[in-house]
Amino acid sequence: MNDIERRIADIMLTKLRERDPSLGYDDLERPVGDLDLDSLDIVELTQLLERELQVKADLRETASFGLLQDFTAYFVKLAEQ
């Protein structure tokens, strides 16, 4: 995991641990549906990543992500532009 991937993982875990403090890095490989995230959680996660990485994401795109790994790949791409 490179630096930007680690930063994204840390940001996502911060958000996820608000709901379940026991979650860890392994849980970032689970499907979004398994983590009981609703559409508001996805919006909040997207906004948090945008703010922390100082990028602008397409919410329509992030709303369709089925895996948290999709968020990582997408935000790595945005951050490296």
Side-chain angles (χ1 to χ4, degrees):
M1 186 178 296
N2 66 31
D3 289 342
I4 191 68
E5 290 170 333
R6 175 63 75 176
R7 186 168 176 208
I8 291 168
D10 290 342
I11 293 165
M12 289 194 295
L13 275 177
T14 297
K15 174 65 181 155
L16 295 174
R17 286 178 175 158
E18 290 174 4
R19 298 188 90 170
D20 184 350
S22 70
L23 294 175
Y25 288 103
D26 290 342
D27 294 300
L28 296 178
E29 297 178 9
R30 294 172 53 191
V32 171
D34 286 358
L35 296 167
D36 197 29
L37 299 177
D38 60 24
S39 59
L40 180 58
D41 292 318
I42 297 302
V43 169
E44 290 174 350
L45 179 58
T46 299
Q47 290 174 337
L48 180 60
L49 287 163
E50 285 179 318
R51 187 171 49 253
E52 293 294 324
L53 299 172
Q54 298 181 346
V55 298
K56 181 66 178 152
D58 182 343
L59 187 55
R60 291 172 295 185
E61 192 166 348
T62 60
S64 69
F65 292 163
L67 301 170
L68 290 175
Q69 294 165 325
D70 297 333
F71 279 90
T72 301
Y74 180 72
F75 278 93
V76 164
K77 186 173 86 174
L78 289 178
E80 291 178 343
Q81 290 181 352

